Amino acid sequence: MAVILLVRHGQASGQADHGLSGTGRLQSETLGTAFSRHGVSATRILTGRLDRQQQTARSTRGAAKWSTSAEVDEAWNEFDHEDVVAARRTVDTPDAKPLDRAIPRWSSGLHDHDYTEPFPAFTKRVENALRTLVAELASGESAVVFTSAGVIGWVAASLLGGGEPQWSALNRVAVNSGVTKVVVGSRGSTLVTFNEHSHLPPQLVTYR
């Protein structure tokens, strides 16, 4: 049996480069310390291209004292939220929570021509990323993937046999540095836990 741990990045700074905030770095270090304390190892470490994903990987890896190098795989990137918001603004007026209101339009599948990466293309990319990783893992290996809420939400929803409604619900509640566990065995890939974040004290629990 192989294990895949999907880690949501730490809280982003909100600046143009979308790197980690101070809270995000602390969340990542806290996770790495917890991994070390519980003897969690990583035979492979993967991260998307985004700064917040790679910075989370570096901070967690350092605190966990892992020697494994991180591999960058853009298949684990989050969907382009700027493109999703921009497409909605062409047909509607801006509001206080543009992304929250733009995501349902994107994921509905009714306006795919408005987006660089339509929702069906995003879900296919995520499924292919998981399928590729599963095929590459040998029994006994543990892979840790540093990615984002949308990606993790779709992995969880698809493994549970769900669709867009399930993804939408999971995407909204993903905690920064939360861990989702998938085991791979003779019966295929199975979701074991979603969004586990007991490593965080209450003051470090954030969702953005």
Side-chain angles (χ1 to χ4, degrees):
M1 185 173 65
V3 174
I4 299 172
L5 301 179
L6 303 171
V7 177
R8 190 195 178 191
H9 62 77
Q11 183 190 63
S13 66
Q15 302 301 313
D17 62 0
H18 303 298
L20 293 183
S21 66
T23 296
R25 288 190 293 274
L26 186 53
Q27 290 166 335
S28 305
E29 292 166 1
T30 301
L31 174 61
T33 300
F35 279 157
S36 178
R37 184 169 62 250
H38 293 290
V40 177
S41 61
T43 57
R44 290 190 66 184
I45 301 173
L46 290 88
T47 173
R49 179 70 63 183
L50 306 181
D51 286 345
R52 57 191 181 273
Q53 298 170 338
Q54 295 190 48
Q55 289 174 17
T56 301
R58 284 195 294 270
S59 294
T60 302
R61 178 176 173 268
K65 298 180 174 62
W66 289 337
S67 59
T68 307
S69 299
E71 311 165 42
V72 177
D73 184 349
E74 293 189 2
W76 294 102
N77 284 0
E78 180 65 296
F79 63 86
D80 188 342
H81 71 278
E82 293 179 349
D83 180 59
V84 170
V85 170
R88 180 177 181 268
R89 282 177 173 165
T90 65
V91 296
D92 205 347
T93 55
D95 50 52
K97 295 183 178 180
L99 184 59
D100 289 349
R101 298 184 182 276
I103 287 176
R105 183 179 188 273
W106 171 64
S107 64
S108 71
L110 301 176
H111 312 280
D112 288 352
H113 60 280
D114 290 341
Y115 301 97
T116 302
E117 184 180 45
F119 187 71
F122 165 74
T123 60
K124 183 177 181 180
R125 168 167 63 83
V126 172
E127 290 171 7
N128 286 340
L130 180 64
R131 189 177 300 113
T132 298
L133 179 56
V134 166
E136 293 172 349
L137 289 178
S139 179
E141 285 197 281
S142 297
V144 182
V145 182
F146 294 87
T147 182
S148 298
V151 173
I152 296 170
W154 186 256
V155 169
S158 62
L159 290 179
L160 292 173
E164 190 278 337
Q166 290 74 27
W167 171 82
S168 181
L170 296 173
N171 181 53
R172 287 195 299 268
V173 300
V175 171
N176 293 114
S177 80
V179 181
T180 294
K181 182 176 182 179
V182 176
V183 297
V184 182
S186 59
R187 297 182 179 180
S189 301
T190 303
L191 181 70
V192 176
T193 63
F194 171 75
N195 205 30
E196 204 285 319
H197 56 279
S198 61
H199 59 282
L200 294 175
Q203 65 271 22
L204 284 183
V205 175
T206 62
Y207 299 87
R208 295 294 183 187

